[in-house]
Amino acid sequence: MENVQQLPPHQQQEFMKHLEQMQLKDSLVMYNNLVERCFSGCVSSFRSKNLDKSEITCVENCAARYVKMTQRVGLRFAEHQALQQQKAANAVAGGTN
């Protein structure tokens, strides 16, 4: 993101707009995956227009697990990225001595 600061203001705005669109798309994909996975795994009967109590519980638990898993993966990814950046910085620092 430091390199973005070096761009002209109009390109910074375009970049940020594109980044926001990508984040929105990723959020929608995650939401759609959650709905598809939990609905498919929990709803097996279409006897009525309402979910029964066990289906509601299943969907709630499934959604909570999915969100926790997604957050955990995001944290692990961030940790991995930080480690890779640290290794790269160390390699550059070691090469300049």
Coordinates of all heavy atoms in Angstrom, one line a residue:
M1 N 0.8 -1.2 0.0 CA 0.0 0.0 0.0 C 0.9 1.3 0.0 O 0.4 2.3 -0.4 CB -0.9 0.0 1.2 CG -2.1 -1.0 1.1 SD -3.2 -0.7 -0.2 CE -4.4 0.4 0.5
E2 N 2.1 1.1 0.4 CA 3.0 2.3 0.4 C 3.2 2.8 -1.0 O 3.3 4.0 -1.3 CB 4.4 2.0 1.0 CG 4.3 1.6 2.5 CD 5.0 0.3 2.8 OE1 5.7 -0.2 1.9 OE2 4.8 -0.2 3.9
N3 N 3.2 1.9 -2.0 CA 3.4 2.3 -3.4 C 2.2 3.1 -3.9 O 2.4 3.9 -4.8 CB 3.6 1.1 -4.3 CG 5.0 0.4 -4.0 OD1 5.9 1.0 -3.5 ND2 5.1 -0.9 -4.3
V4 N 1.0 2.9 -3.3 CA -0.2 3.6 -3.8 C 0.0 5.1 -3.5 O -0.4 5.9 -4.2 CB -1.4 3.1 -3.0 CG1 -2.6 3.9 -3.3 CG2 -1.7 1.6 -3.4
Q5 N 0.7 5.4 -2.4 CA 0.9 6.8 -2.0 C 1.8 7.5 -3.1 O 1.7 8.8 -3.2 CB 1.6 6.9 -0.6 CG 0.8 6.3 0.5 CD -0.6 6.9 0.7 OE1 -0.8 8.1 0.5 NE2 -1.5 6.0 1.0
Q6 N 2.5 6.8 -3.8 CA 3.4 7.4 -4.9 C 2.6 7.7 -6.2 O 3.2 8.3 -7.0 CB 4.6 6.5 -5.1 CG 5.5 6.3 -3.9 CD 6.6 5.3 -4.1 OE1 6.7 4.7 -5.1 NE2 7.4 5.1 -3.1
L7 N 1.4 7.2 -6.3 CA 0.6 7.4 -7.5 C 0.0 8.8 -7.5 O -0.2 9.4 -6.4 CB -0.5 6.4 -7.6 CG -0.1 4.9 -7.8 CD1 -1.4 4.0 -7.6 CD2 0.5 4.7 -9.1
P8 N -0.3 9.3 -8.7 CA -1.0 10.6 -8.7 C -2.4 10.4 -8.1 O -2.9 9.3 -8.1 CB -1.1 10.8 -10.2 CG -0.1 10.0 -10.9 CD 0.1 8.8 -10.0
P9 N -2.9 11.5 -7.6 CA -4.2 11.4 -6.8 C -5.3 10.7 -7.6 O -6.1 9.9 -7.0 CB -4.6 12.9 -6.6 CG -3.2 13.6 -6.5 CD -2.4 12.8 -7.5
H10 N -5.5 11.0 -8.9 CA -6.6 10.4 -9.7 C -6.4 8.9 -9.8 O -7.3 8.1 -9.8 CB -6.7 11.0 -11.1 CG -5.6 10.7 -12.0 ND1 -4.4 11.3 -12.0 CD2 -5.6 9.8 -13.1 CE1 -3.6 10.8 -13.0 NE2 -4.4 9.9 -13.6
Q11 N -5.1 8.4 -9.9 CA -4.9 7.0 -9.9 C -5.1 6.3 -8.6 O -5.5 5.2 -8.5 CB -3.4 6.7 -10.5 CG -3.3 6.9 -11.9 CD -1.9 6.6 -12.4 OE1 -0.9 6.6 -11.7 NE2 -1.8 6.3 -13.7
Q12 N -4.7 7.1 -7.5 CA -5.0 6.6 -6.1 C -6.5 6.3 -6.0 O -6.9 5.3 -5.4 CB -4.5 7.6 -5.1 CG -3.1 7.6 -4.9 CD -2.7 8.6 -3.9 OE1 -3.5 9.0 -3.0 NE2 -1.4 9.0 -3.9
Q13 N -7.3 7.3 -6.5 CA -8.8 7.1 -6.4 C -9.3 5.9 -7.1 O -10.1 5.1 -6.7 CB -9.5 8.4 -6.8 CG -9.3 9.5 -5.9 CD -9.9 10.8 -6.4 OE1 -10.2 11.0 -7.6 NE2 -10.2 11.8 -5.6
E14 N -8.7 5.7 -8.4 CA -9.1 4.6 -9.2 C -8.7 3.3 -8.5 O -9.5 2.3 -8.5 CB -8.5 4.7 -10.6 CG -9.0 5.7 -11.5 CD -8.3 5.8 -12.8 OE1 -7.7 4.8 -13.2 OE2 -8.3 6.9 -13.4
F15 N -7.5 3.3 -7.9 CA -7.0 2.1 -7.3 C -7.9 1.7 -6.1 O -8.3 0.6 -5.9 CB -5.6 2.3 -6.8 CG -5.1 1.1 -6.0 CD1 -4.6 -0.1 -6.6 CD2 -5.1 1.1 -4.6 CE1 -4.2 -1.1 -5.9 CE2 -4.6 0.1 -3.9 CZ -4.1 -1.1 -4.5
M16 N -8.3 2.7 -5.3 CA -9.1 2.5 -4.1 C -10.5 2.0 -4.5 O -11.1 1.2 -3.8 CB -9.2 3.8 -3.2 CG -7.8 4.1 -2.6 SD -7.0 2.8 -1.7 CE -8.1 2.6 -0.3
K17 N -11.0 2.6 -5.6 CA -12.4 2.2 -6.0 C -12.3 0.7 -6.5 O -13.2 0.0 -6.2 CB -12.8 3.1 -7.2 CG -14.2 2.8 -7.7 CD -14.6 3.8 -8.8 CE -16.0 3.4 -9.3 NZ -16.4 4.3 -10.4
H18 N -11.3 0.4 -7.2 CA -11.1 -1.0 -7.7 C -11.0 -1.9 -6.5 O -11.5 -3.0 -6.4 CB -9.9 -1.1 -8.6 CG -9.7 -2.5 -9.2 ND1 -10.6 -3.1 -10.1 CD2 -8.7 -3.4 -8.9 CE1 -10.1 -4.3 -10.4 NE2 -9.0 -4.5 -9.7
L19 N -10.2 -1.5 -5.5 CA -10.0 -2.3 -4.3 C -11.3 -2.5 -3.5 O -11.6 -3.7 -3.1 CB -9.0 -1.7 -3.4 CG -8.6 -2.4 -2.1 CD1 -7.9 -3.8 -2.5 CD2 -7.6 -1.6 -1.3
E20 N -12.1 -1.5 -3.4 CA -13.4 -1.6 -2.8 C -14.3 -2.6 -3.5 O -15.1 -3.3 -2.9 CB -14.1 -0.2 -2.7 CG -13.4 0.7 -1.6 CD -14.0 2.1 -1.7 OE1 -15.0 2.3 -2.3 OE2 -13.4 3.0 -1.0
Q21 N -14.3 -2.5 -4.9 CA -15.1 -3.4 -5.7 C -14.7 -4.8 -5.5 O -15.5 -5.7 -5.4 CB -15.0 -3.0 -7.2 CG -15.7 -1.7 -7.5 CD -15.5 -1.3 -8.9 OE1 -14.6 -1.7 -9.6 NE2 -16.4 -0.4 -9.4
M22 N -13.4 -5.1 -5.4 CA -12.9 -6.4 -5.2 C -13.3 -6.9 -3.8 O -13.7 -8.1 -3.7 CB -11.3 -6.5 -5.3 CG -10.8 -6.3 -6.7 SD -9.0 -6.2 -6.9 CE -8.5 -7.5 -5.9
Q23 N -13.2 -6.1 -2.8 CA -13.6 -6.5 -1.4 C -15.1 -6.8 -1.4 O -15.5 -7.8 -0.7 CB -13.3 -5.4 -0.4 CG -11.8 -5.3 -0.2 CD -11.4 -4.1 0.7 OE1 -12.1 -3.1 0.7 NE2 -10.3 -4.2 1.3
L24 N -15.9 -6.0 -2.1 CA -17.4 -6.3 -2.1 C -17.6 -7.6 -2.8 O -18.4 -8.4 -2.3 CB -18.1 -5.1 -2.8 CG -19.6 -5.3 -3.0 CD1 -20.3 -5.4 -1.7 CD2 -20.2 -4.2 -3.8
K25 N -17.0 -7.8 -3.9 CA -17.2 -9.1 -4.6 C -16.8 -10.3 -3.7 O -17.5 -11.3 -3.7 CB -16.3 -9.1 -5.9 CG -16.5 -10.4 -6.7 CD -15.6 -10.3 -8.0 CE -15.7 -11.6 -8.7 NZ -14.8 -11.7 -9.9
D26 N -15.6 -10.2 -3.1 CA -15.2 -11.2 -2.2 C -16.2 -11.5 -1.0 O -16.4 -12.6 -0.7 CB -13.8 -10.9 -1.6 CG -12.7 -11.0 -2.6 OD1 -12.9 -11.6 -3.7 OD2 -11.6 -10.5 -2.3
S27 N -16.7 -10.4 -0.5 CA -17.7 -10.5 0.6 C -19.0 -11.3 0.1 O -19.5 -12.1 0.7 CB -18.1 -9.2 1.1 OG -17.0 -8.6 1.8
L28 N -19.4 -10.9 -1.1 CA -20.6 -11.5 -1.7 C -20.4 -13.0 -2.0 O -21.2 -13.8 -1.8 CB -21.1 -10.8 -3.0 CG -21.6 -9.4 -2.7 CD1 -21.9 -8.7 -4.0 CD2 -22.9 -9.5 -1.9
V29 N -19.2 -13.3 -2.5 CA -18.8 -14.7 -2.8 C -18.8 -15.5 -1.5 O -19.4 -16.6 -1.4 CB -17.5 -14.8 -3.5 CG1 -16.9 -16.2 -3.6 CG2 -17.6 -14.3 -5.0
M30 N -18.2 -14.9 -0.5 CA -18.2 -15.6 0.8 C -19.6 -15.8 1.3 O -20.0 -16.9 1.8 CB -17.4 -14.8 1.9 CG -17.2 -15.6 3.2 SD -16.4 -14.6 4.4 CE -17.9 -14.0 5.3
Y31 N -20.4 -14.8 1.3 CA -21.8 -15.0 1.7 C -22.6 -16.0 0.9 O -23.3 -16.9 1.5 CB -22.5 -13.6 1.6 CG -24.0 -13.7 2.0 CD1 -24.4 -13.7 3.3 CD2 -25.0 -13.7 1.0 CE1 -25.7 -13.8 3.6 CE2 -26.3 -13.8 1.3 CZ -26.7 -13.8 2.6 OH -28.0 -13.9 3.0
N32 N -22.4 -16.0 -0.4 CA -23.1 -17.0 -1.2 C -22.6 -18.4 -0.9 O -23.4 -19.4 -0.9 CB -22.9 -16.7 -2.7 CG -23.7 -15.5 -3.2 OD1 -24.8 -15.2 -2.6 ND2 -23.3 -14.9 -4.2
N33 N -21.3 -18.6 -0.7 CA -20.8 -19.9 -0.3 C -21.4 -20.3 1.0 O -21.7 -21.5 1.2 CB -19.3 -19.9 -0.2 CG -18.6 -19.8 -1.6 OD1 -19.2 -20.1 -2.6 ND2 -17.4 -19.3 -1.6
L34 N -21.4 -19.4 2.0 CA -22.0 -19.8 3.3 C -23.4 -20.2 3.2 O -23.8 -21.3 3.7 CB -21.9 -18.5 4.2 CG -22.5 -18.7 5.6 CD1 -21.7 -17.8 6.6 CD2 -23.9 -18.3 5.7
V35 N -24.2 -19.5 2.4 CA -25.7 -19.8 2.2 C -25.8 -21.1 1.6 O -26.6 -22.0 2.0 CB -26.4 -18.7 1.5 CG1 -27.8 -19.1 1.0 CG2 -26.5 -17.4 2.3
E36 N -25.1 -21.4 0.5 CA -25.2 -22.6 -0.2 C -24.8 -23.8 0.6 O -25.4 -24.8 0.7 CB -24.3 -22.6 -1.5 CG -24.4 -23.8 -2.3 CD -23.6 -23.7 -3.6 OE1 -23.3 -22.6 -4.1 OE2 -23.3 -24.8 -4.2
R37 N -23.6 -23.7 1.3 CA -23.1 -24.8 2.1 C -24.1 -25.1 3.3 O -24.4 -26.2 3.5 CB -21.8 -24.4 2.7 CG -21.3 -25.5 3.7 CD -19.9 -25.2 4.2 NE -19.0 -25.6 3.1 CZ -17.7 -25.4 3.2 NH1 -17.1 -24.8 4.2 NH2 -16.9 -25.8 2.2
C38 N -24.5 -24.1 4.0 CA -25.4 -24.3 5.2 C -26.8 -24.7 4.8 O -27.3 -25.6 5.4 CB -25.4 -23.1 6.1 SG -23.8 -22.7 6.8
F39 N -27.3 -24.1 3.7 CA -28.7 -24.6 3.3 C -28.6 -26.0 2.8 O -29.5 -26.8 3.2 CB -29.2 -23.6 2.2 CG -30.6 -23.9 1.8 CD1 -31.6 -23.4 2.5 CD2 -30.9 -24.7 0.7 CE1 -33.0 -23.6 2.2 CE2 -32.2 -25.0 0.4 CZ -33.2 -24.4 1.1
S40 N -27.6 -26.3 2.0 CA -27.6 -27.7 1.4 C -27.3 -28.7 2.5 O -27.9 -29.8 2.5 CB -26.4 -27.8 0.4 OG -26.7 -27.0 -0.7
G41 N -26.6 -28.4 3.5 CA -26.3 -29.3 4.6 C -27.3 -29.4 5.7 O -27.3 -30.4 6.4
C42 N -28.2 -28.4 5.8 CA -29.1 -28.4 6.9 C -30.6 -28.5 6.5 O -31.4 -29.0 7.3 CB -28.9 -27.1 7.7 SG -27.3 -26.9 8.5
V43 N -30.9 -28.1 5.4 CA -32.3 -28.1 5.0 C -32.6 -29.3 4.1 O -32.0 -29.4 3.0 CB -32.7 -26.8 4.3 CG1 -34.2 -26.9 3.9 CG2 -32.5 -25.6 5.2
S44 N -33.4 -30.2 4.5 CA -33.7 -31.5 3.8 C -35.1 -31.6 3.4 O -35.5 -32.5 2.7 CB -33.1 -32.7 4.5 OG -33.8 -32.7 5.8
S45 N -36.0 -30.9 4.1 CA -37.4 -31.0 3.9 C -38.0 -29.7 3.4 O -37.7 -28.6 3.9 CB -38.0 -31.5 5.2 OG -39.4 -31.4 5.1
F46 N -38.9 -29.8 2.5 CA -39.6 -28.6 2.0 C -41.1 -28.8 2.3 O -42.0 -28.4 1.5 CB -39.4 -28.4 0.5 CG -37.9 -28.2 0.3 CD1 -37.0 -29.2 -0.1 CD2 -37.4 -26.9 0.4 CE1 -35.7 -28.9 -0.3 CE2 -36.1 -26.6 0.2 CZ -35.2 -27.7 -0.2
R47 N -41.5 -29.3 3.5 CA -42.9 -29.6 3.8 C -43.6 -28.3 4.1 O -44.8 -28.2 3.9 CB -42.9 -30.4 5.1 CG -42.4 -31.8 4.9 CD -42.6 -32.6 6.2 NE -42.0 -32.0 7.4 CZ -40.7 -32.2 7.8 NH1 -40.0 -33.1 7.2 NH2 -40.3 -31.6 8.9
S48 N -42.9 -27.2 4.6 CA -43.5 -26.0 4.8 C -42.6 -24.8 4.4 O -41.5 -25.0 4.1 CB -43.9 -25.8 6.3 OG -42.7 -25.6 7.1
K49 N -43.2 -23.6 4.5 CA -42.4 -22.5 4.0 C -41.4 -22.0 5.1 O -40.5 -21.2 4.8 CB -43.3 -21.3 3.6 CG -44.2 -20.8 4.7 CD -45.1 -19.6 4.2 CE -45.9 -19.1 5.4 NZ -46.7 -18.0 4.9
N50 N -41.5 -22.6 6.3 CA -40.7 -22.2 7.4 C -39.7 -23.4 7.7 O -40.1 -24.6 7.6 CB -41.5 -21.9 8.7 CG -42.3 -20.7 8.5 OD1 -41.9 -19.7 7.8 ND2 -43.5 -20.7 9.0
L51 N -38.5 -23.1 8.2 CA -37.6 -24.1 8.7 C -38.1 -24.6 10.0 O -38.6 -23.9 10.8 CB -36.2 -23.5 8.8 CG -35.5 -22.9 7.6 CD1 -34.2 -22.3 7.9 CD2 -35.4 -24.0 6.5
D52 N -37.8 -25.9 10.2 CA -38.2 -26.4 11.6 C -37.0 -26.1 12.5 O -36.0 -25.6 12.1 CB -38.5 -27.9 11.5 CG -37.4 -28.8 11.1 OD1 -36.2 -28.5 11.4 OD2 -37.6 -29.9 10.5
K53 N -37.3 -26.4 13.8 CA -36.3 -26.0 14.8 C -34.9 -26.6 14.6 O -33.9 -25.9 14.8 CB -36.8 -26.4 16.2 CG -36.0 -25.9 17.3 CD -36.6 -26.1 18.7 CE -35.7 -25.6 19.8 NZ -36.4 -25.1 20.9
S54 N -34.8 -27.9 14.2 CA -33.5 -28.5 14.0 C -32.8 -27.9 12.8 O -31.6 -27.8 12.8 CB -33.7 -30.0 13.8 OG -34.4 -30.3 12.7
E55 N -33.5 -27.5 11.8 CA -32.9 -26.9 10.6 C -32.4 -25.5 11.0 O -31.3 -25.1 10.6 CB -33.9 -26.8 9.5 CG -34.3 -28.1 8.9 CD -35.4 -28.1 7.9 OE1 -36.3 -27.2 8.0 OE2 -35.4 -28.9 6.9
I56 N -33.2 -24.8 11.8 CA -32.7 -23.4 12.2 C -31.4 -23.6 13.0 O -30.5 -22.8 12.8 CB -33.8 -22.7 13.0 CG1 -35.0 -22.4 12.1 CG2 -33.3 -21.5 13.7 CD1 -36.2 -21.9 12.8
T57 N -31.4 -24.5 14.0 CA -30.2 -24.7 14.8 C -29.0 -25.1 13.9 O -27.9 -24.6 14.1 CB -30.5 -25.8 15.9 OG1 -31.6 -25.3 16.7 CG2 -29.3 -26.0 16.7
C58 N -29.3 -26.0 13.0 CA -28.2 -26.4 12.1 C -27.6 -25.3 11.3 O -26.4 -25.1 11.2 CB -28.7 -27.6 11.2 SG -27.5 -28.2 10.1
V59 N -28.5 -24.5 10.7 CA -28.1 -23.3 9.9 C -27.3 -22.3 10.7 O -26.3 -21.8 10.3 CB -29.3 -22.7 9.2 CG1 -28.9 -21.3 8.6 CG2 -29.9 -23.6 8.1
E60 N -27.8 -22.0 11.9 CA -27.1 -21.1 12.8 C -25.7 -21.6 13.2 O -24.7 -20.8 13.1 CB -27.9 -20.8 14.1 CG -29.2 -20.0 13.8 CD -30.1 -19.9 15.0 OE1 -29.9 -20.6 16.0 OE2 -31.0 -19.0 15.0
N61 N -25.6 -22.9 13.6 CA -24.3 -23.4 13.9 C -23.4 -23.5 12.7 O -22.2 -23.2 12.8 CB -24.5 -24.8 14.5 CG -25.1 -24.8 15.9 OD1 -25.1 -23.8 16.6 ND2 -25.8 -25.9 16.2
C62 N -23.9 -23.9 11.6 CA -23.1 -23.9 10.3 C -22.6 -22.5 10.0 O -21.4 -22.4 9.7 CB -24.0 -24.5 9.2 SG -23.1 -24.5 7.6
A63 N -23.4 -21.5 10.0 CA -23.0 -20.2 9.7 C -21.9 -19.7 10.7 O -20.9 -19.1 10.3 CB -24.2 -19.2 9.7
A64 N -22.1 -19.9 12.0 CA -21.1 -19.5 13.0 C -19.8 -20.2 12.7 O -18.7 -19.5 12.8 CB -21.6 -19.8 14.4
R65 N -19.8 -21.5 12.4 CA -18.6 -22.2 12.2 C -17.9 -21.7 10.9 O -16.7 -21.5 10.9 CB -18.8 -23.7 12.0 CG -19.1 -24.4 13.3 CD -19.1 -25.9 13.1 NE -19.9 -26.4 12.0 CZ -21.1 -26.8 12.1 NH1 -21.8 -26.7 13.3 NH2 -21.8 -27.3 11.1
Y66 N -18.7 -21.4 9.9 CA -18.1 -20.9 8.6 C -17.5 -19.5 8.8 O -16.4 -19.3 8.3 CB -19.3 -20.8 7.6 CG -18.8 -20.5 6.2 CD1 -18.4 -21.5 5.3 CD2 -18.7 -19.2 5.7 CE1 -18.0 -21.3 4.0 CE2 -18.2 -18.9 4.4 CZ -17.9 -20.0 3.6 OH -17.5 -19.7 2.3
V67 N -18.1 -18.7 9.6 CA -17.6 -17.3 9.8 C -16.3 -17.4 10.6 O -15.3 -16.8 10.3 CB -18.6 -16.4 10.5 CG1 -18.0 -15.1 11.0 CG2 -19.7 -16.1 9.5
K68 N -16.3 -18.3 11.7 CA -15.1 -18.5 12.5 C -13.9 -19.0 11.6 O -12.8 -18.6 11.8 CB -15.4 -19.4 13.7 CG -16.1 -18.8 14.8 CD -16.3 -19.8 15.9 CE -17.2 -19.2 17.0 NZ -17.5 -20.2 18.1
M69 N -14.3 -20.0 10.8 CA -13.2 -20.6 9.9 C -12.7 -19.5 9.0 O -11.5 -19.5 8.8 CB -13.8 -21.8 9.1 CG -12.9 -22.5 8.2 SD -12.8 -21.9 6.5 CE -14.4 -21.9 5.9
T70 N -13.5 -18.7 8.4 CA -13.1 -17.7 7.5 C -12.2 -16.7 8.2 O -11.2 -16.3 7.6 CB -14.3 -17.0 6.8 OG1 -15.1 -18.0 6.2 CG2 -13.9 -16.0 5.8
Q71 N -12.6 -16.3 9.4 CA -11.7 -15.4 10.1 C -10.4 -16.0 10.5 O -9.3 -15.3 10.4 CB -12.5 -15.0 11.4 CG -13.6 -14.1 11.2 CD -14.5 -13.8 12.5 OE1 -14.4 -14.6 13.4 NE2 -15.2 -12.7 12.4
R72 N -10.4 -17.3 10.9 CA -9.2 -17.9 11.2 C -8.2 -18.0 10.0 O -7.0 -17.8 10.1 CB -9.5 -19.3 11.8 CG -8.3 -20.0 12.4 CD -8.7 -21.2 13.1 NE -7.5 -21.8 13.8 CZ -7.6 -22.7 14.7 NH1 -8.7 -23.2 15.0 NH2 -6.5 -23.2 15.2
V73 N -8.8 -18.4 8.9 CA -8.0 -18.5 7.6 C -7.4 -17.1 7.3 O -6.2 -17.0 7.0 CB -8.8 -19.0 6.5 CG1 -8.1 -18.8 5.1 CG2 -9.1 -20.5 6.7
G74 N -8.2 -16.1 7.5 CA -7.7 -14.7 7.2 C -6.6 -14.3 8.1 O -5.6 -13.7 7.7
L75 N -6.7 -14.7 9.4 CA -5.6 -14.4 10.4 C -4.3 -15.2 10.0 O -3.2 -14.6 10.0 CB -6.0 -14.7 11.8 CG -7.1 -13.8 12.4 CD1 -7.5 -14.3 13.7 CD2 -6.5 -12.4 12.6
R76 N -4.5 -16.4 9.7 CA -3.3 -17.3 9.3 C -2.7 -16.7 8.0 O -1.5 -16.7 7.9 CB -3.7 -18.7 9.1 CG -4.2 -19.4 10.3 CD -3.1 -19.5 11.4 NE -3.6 -20.1 12.6 CZ -3.8 -19.4 13.7 NH1 -3.5 -18.1 13.8 NH2 -4.2 -20.0 14.8
F77 N -3.5 -16.3 7.1 CA -2.9 -15.7 5.9 C -2.1 -14.4 6.2 O -1.0 -14.2 5.7 CB -4.1 -15.4 4.9 CG -3.6 -14.8 3.6 CD1 -2.9 -15.6 2.6 CD2 -3.7 -13.4 3.3 CE1 -2.5 -15.0 1.4 CE2 -3.3 -12.9 2.2 CZ -2.6 -13.7 1.2
A78 N -2.7 -13.6 7.0 CA -2.0 -12.4 7.4 C -0.7 -12.7 8.1 O 0.3 -12.0 7.9 CB -2.9 -11.5 8.3
E79 N -0.7 -13.7 9.0 CA 0.5 -14.1 9.7 C 1.5 -14.6 8.7 O 2.7 -14.3 8.8 CB 0.2 -15.2 10.7 CG -0.6 -14.7 11.9 CD -1.0 -15.9 12.8 OE1 -0.7 -17.0 12.5 OE2 -1.7 -15.6 13.8
H80 N 1.1 -15.4 7.8 CA 2.0 -15.9 6.7 C 2.6 -14.8 5.9 O 3.8 -14.7 5.6 CB 1.3 -16.9 5.8 CG 2.1 -17.5 4.7 ND1 3.1 -18.4 5.0 CD2 2.1 -17.2 3.4 CE1 3.7 -18.7 3.8 NE2 3.1 -18.0 2.9
Q81 N 1.8 -13.8 5.5 CA 2.2 -12.6 4.7 C 3.3 -11.9 5.5 O 4.3 -11.4 5.0 CB 1.1 -11.7 4.3 CG 0.2 -12.3 3.3 CD 0.9 -12.5 2.0 OE1 1.3 -13.6 1.6 NE2 1.1 -11.5 1.2
A82 N 3.0 -11.6 6.8 CA 3.9 -10.9 7.7 C 5.2 -11.6 7.8 O 6.3 -11.0 7.7 CB 3.3 -10.7 9.0
L83 N 5.2 -12.9 7.9 CA 6.4 -13.7 8.0 C 7.2 -13.6 6.7 O 8.4 -13.5 6.7 CB 6.1 -15.2 8.3 CG 7.2 -16.1 8.5 CD1 8.1 -15.7 9.6 CD2 6.7 -17.6 8.7
Q84 N 6.5 -13.7 5.6 CA 7.2 -13.6 4.3 C 7.8 -12.2 4.1 O 8.9 -12.1 3.5 CB 6.2 -13.9 3.1 CG 5.7 -15.3 3.1 CD 6.8 -16.4 3.0 OE1 7.7 -16.2 2.2 NE2 6.7 -17.4 3.7
Q85 N 7.1 -11.2 4.5 CA 7.6 -9.8 4.4 C 8.9 -9.7 5.3 O 9.9 -9.0 4.9 CB 6.6 -8.8 4.7 CG 5.5 -8.7 3.7 CD 4.4 -7.7 4.1 OE1 4.3 -7.3 5.2 NE2 3.6 -7.4 3.1
Q86 N 8.8 -10.3 6.5 CA 9.9 -10.2 7.4 C 11.2 -11.0 6.8 O 12.3 -10.5 6.8 CB 9.6 -10.9 8.7 CG 10.7 -10.8 9.8 CD 11.0 -9.4 10.2 OE1 10.1 -8.6 10.3 NE2 12.3 -9.1 10.4
K87 N 10.9 -12.1 6.2 CA 12.0 -12.9 5.5 C 12.6 -12.1 4.4 O 13.8 -12.0 4.2 CB 11.5 -14.2 5.0 CG 11.3 -15.2 6.1 CD 10.8 -16.6 5.5 CE 10.5 -17.6 6.6 NZ 10.1 -18.9 6.0
A88 N 11.8 -11.4 3.6 CA 12.2 -10.6 2.5 C 13.1 -9.4 3.0 O 14.1 -9.1 2.4 CB 11.1 -10.2 1.6
A89 N 12.6 -8.8 4.0 CA 13.3 -7.7 4.6 C 14.7 -8.1 5.2 O 15.7 -7.4 5.0 CB 12.5 -7.0 5.7
N90 N 14.7 -9.3 5.8 CA 15.9 -9.8 6.4 C 16.9 -10.1 5.2 O 18.1 -9.9 5.4 CB 15.7 -11.0 7.2 CG 15.0 -10.7 8.6 OD1 15.0 -9.5 9.0 ND2 14.4 -11.6 9.2
A91 N 16.4 -10.7 4.2 CA 17.2 -11.0 3.0 C 17.8 -9.8 2.4 O 19.0 -9.8 2.1 CB 16.4 -11.8 2.0
V92 N 17.0 -8.7 2.3 CA 17.5 -7.5 1.7 C 18.6 -6.9 2.7 O 19.6 -6.4 2.2 CB 16.4 -6.5 1.4 CG1 16.9 -5.1 1.2 CG2 15.5 -7.0 0.3
A93 N 18.3 -6.9 4.0 CA 19.2 -6.3 4.9 C 20.5 -7.1 5.0 O 21.6 -6.5 5.1 CB 18.5 -6.3 6.3
G94 N 20.4 -8.4 4.9 CA 21.6 -9.2 4.9 C 22.4 -9.1 3.6 O 23.6 -9.2 3.6
G95 N 21.7 -8.8 2.5 CA 22.4 -8.6 1.2 C 23.1 -7.3 1.1 O 24.0 -7.1 0.3
T96 N 22.7 -6.3 1.9 CA 23.3 -5.0 1.8 C 24.5 -4.8 2.7 O 25.1 -3.8 2.7 CB 22.3 -3.9 2.1 OG1 21.7 -4.1 3.4 CG2 21.1 -3.9 1.1
N97 N 24.8 -5.7 3.6 CA 25.9 -5.6 4.5 C 27.2 -5.9 3.9 O 27.4 -6.6 3.0 CB 25.7 -6.4 5.8 CG 24.6 -5.9 6.6 OD1 24.3 -4.7 6.6 ND2 24.0 -6.7 7.5

